[in-house]
Amino acid sequence: MNFAVIGVGSFGIKRAQSIKNSKLAKLIAINDVNKDNVQKAETILKVKVLDLDQILNDKSIDVVCICAPNKFHKDIIIKSLEADKHVFCE
């Protein structure tokens, strides 16, 4: 399955690294509204950065892993489900 991780603070980077280390999953993209988080994660993960709309419109991405702050979960979950993505959110 192909994943995108939304929210790449320390928790999101850990989730993204787990996806990258999995033999059953592939990390396709990351996203964060915090530019510092994006730059750090991009350097560590070596994966492309897409905005939320690009992630939701990308047919190759099956699952959205939401690691953004809780107050943003609802809107991201709804948009992701409307885009026919599987959602993983803690």
Side-chain angles (χ1 to χ4, degrees), residues 8-21:
V8 286
S10 62
F11 183 77
I13 288 175
K14 289 175 187 173
R15 284 283 179 251
Q17 287 172 321
S18 294
I19 293 165
K20 282 192 74 147
N21 292 333

Side-chain angles (χ1 to χ4, degrees), residues 13 16-17 20 26-30 38-49:
I13 288 175
Q17 287 172 321
K20 282 192 74 147
K26 182 176 180 185
L27 181 62
I28 302 296
I30 58 172
V38 168
Q39 289 175 346
K40 179 180 177 184
E42 189 176 20
T43 300
I44 293 169
L45 299 167
K46 309 281 191 253
V47 66
K48 65 184 169 183
V49 177

Side-chain angles (χ1 to χ4, degrees), residues 32-86:
D32 199 305
V33 296
N34 181 311
K35 302 302 179 199
D36 292 335
N37 286 353
V38 168
Q39 289 175 346
K40 179 180 177 184
E42 189 176 20
T43 300
I44 293 169
L45 299 167
K46 309 281 191 253
V47 66
K48 65 184 169 183
V49 177
L50 298 176
D51 67 32
L52 181 58
D53 289 333
Q54 290 172 312
I55 288 170
L56 298 179
N57 290 318
D58 187 329
K59 299 296 181 198
S60 73
I61 296 173
D62 305 303
V63 183
V64 174
C65 180
I66 301 170
C67 301
N70 293 347
K71 65 183 178 181
F72 301 114
H73 286 182
K74 179 182 173 185
D75 289 338
I76 298 170
I77 290 168
I78 291 169
K79 288 179 182 180
S80 298
L81 292 172
E82 289 175 344
D84 293 324
K85 302 296 183 194
H86 298 278

